[in-house]
Amino acid sequence: MKFSLLLASMLISTTFNVFADEAKNLKVHEEVSIDAPSAKVWEKVSNFNDLGAWHPAVKTTEILTGENNKVGAERLLTLQDGGTIKEKLLKYNAKAKTFKYSIIEGVLPVTSYVSSVTVKQVGKNKSIVVWDGTFKRKDTSATPAEGQDDATAVKVITSVYRGGLDNLKKISE
C-alpha cells in the first residue's frame, strides 16, 4: 500500500512537472494607421489567394483546396527565399472586414498558430489594420533548440506582421 501511494505521488508530481515545462501560449499584436478608407484597404488584404499583393515576403500564393475566401480553403505561400507555409482559412467576414486563419505547416518557428487580420474605419479617410496572432514556439520541449525559443518566435512573427503592415501602408496611401 505504501509503495502504491509513493508511486502515485511520483507519477502526479512528474505529470505536473511535464505541464510546467510545456511551451506557453504567445501573442503578437501589431497595427498600422493608414490614410485611406477602409474599403480601399480591405480590397488589398481581403484576397486570401494573394497575400503577395501586399506582403513583400510572399512570392506566390496558391489555393490548394477549397474556394478562395471561403472557410476551409487552404493556401500555400511560397516566400521570396523559397520557403513555404501552408495555411487554412478559419473565418471570413467581408462585411466586418476581417478574416482568421491558421498555419498548418511551414518554415516559421511556431506551432499552434492562429491569426486574424481586421480593417477598421476610424475616420473619413483613415483606417487601422490590426494583425493579431497566438502561437507556441515550434520546439515545445522544456529546453528548446537555439532559434526555436519563445523570444525567437515572437521576434519572427512581429517582423512578419510589421513587414506586411508597413508595406500595406506604403501601397495604400
Side-chain angles (χ1 to χ4, degrees), residues 53-108:
W54 61 278
H55 202 298
V58 177
K59 186 175 183 179
T60 62
T61 307
E62 174 188 1
I63 297 292
L64 299 174
T65 61
E67 291 182 47
N68 188 37
N69 295 346
K70 301 288 184 196
V71 171
E74 292 182 5
R75 69 181 179 188
L76 180 67
L77 307 175
T78 301
L79 306 177
Q80 298 294 347
D81 67 3
T84 60
I85 303 169
K86 187 176 177 183
E87 298 176 333
K88 183 174 186 171
L89 188 60
L90 302 175
K91 292 182 181 177
Y92 189 91
N93 186 330
K95 186 175 181 180
K97 297 181 182 73
T98 188
F99 64 90
K100 185 177 191 176
Y101 66 97
S102 65
I103 292 179
I104 299 169
E105 60 187 46
V107 297
L108 297 178

Side-chain angles (χ1 to χ4, degrees), residues 21-170:
D21 292 338
E22 196 174 290
K24 63 183 177 182
N25 288 320
L26 305 169
K27 294 180 182 182
V28 169
H29 170 96
E30 292 292 322
E31 56 185 65
V32 67
S33 177
I34 299 176
D35 292 329
S38 63
K40 178 182 175 187
V41 177
W42 176 248
E43 188 177 311
K44 292 188 186 323
V45 302
S46 64
N47 185 357
F48 192 67
N49 192 29
D50 196 7
L51 183 57
W54 61 278
H55 202 298
V58 177
K59 186 175 183 179
T60 62
T61 307
E62 174 188 1
I63 297 292
L64 299 174
T65 61
E67 291 182 47
N68 188 37
N69 295 346
K70 301 288 184 196
V71 171
E74 292 182 5
R75 69 181 179 188
L76 180 67
L77 307 175
T78 301
L79 306 177
Q80 298 294 347
D81 67 3
T84 60
I85 303 169
K86 187 176 177 183
E87 298 176 333
K88 183 174 186 171
L89 188 60
L90 302 175
K91 292 182 181 177
Y92 189 91
N93 186 330
K95 186 175 181 180
K97 297 181 182 73
T98 188
F99 64 90
K100 185 177 191 176
Y101 66 97
S102 65
I103 292 179
I104 299 169
E105 60 187 46
V107 297
L108 297 178
V110 297
T111 188
S112 304
Y113 175 98
V114 176
S115 183
S116 65
V117 176
T118 304
V119 180
K120 301 175 185 178
Q121 187 77 33
V122 292
K124 184 177 179 189
N125 286 311
K126 192 169 197 112
S127 304
I128 290 181
V129 181
V130 177
W131 201 346
D132 283 309
T134 60
F135 50 91
K136 292 181 180 184
R137 64 178 183 255
K138 189 170 256 181
D139 182 346
T140 59
S141 71
T143 54
E146 186 175 334
Q148 299 291 320
D149 59 357
D150 289 350
T152 300
V154 169
K155 182 179 178 182
V156 168
I157 297 303
T158 300
S159 173
V160 167
Y161 290 7
R162 284 284 18 122
L165 292 173
D166 292 347
N167 192 61
L168 181 61
K169 179 178 179 72
K170 180 180 170 185

Side-chain angles (χ1 to χ4, degrees), residues 1-15:
M1 178 72 168
K2 287 182 182 181
F3 178 74
S4 296
L5 289 173
L6 178 63
L7 183 58
S9 173
M10 288 174 52
L11 286 172
I12 290 170
S13 67
T14 302
T15 302

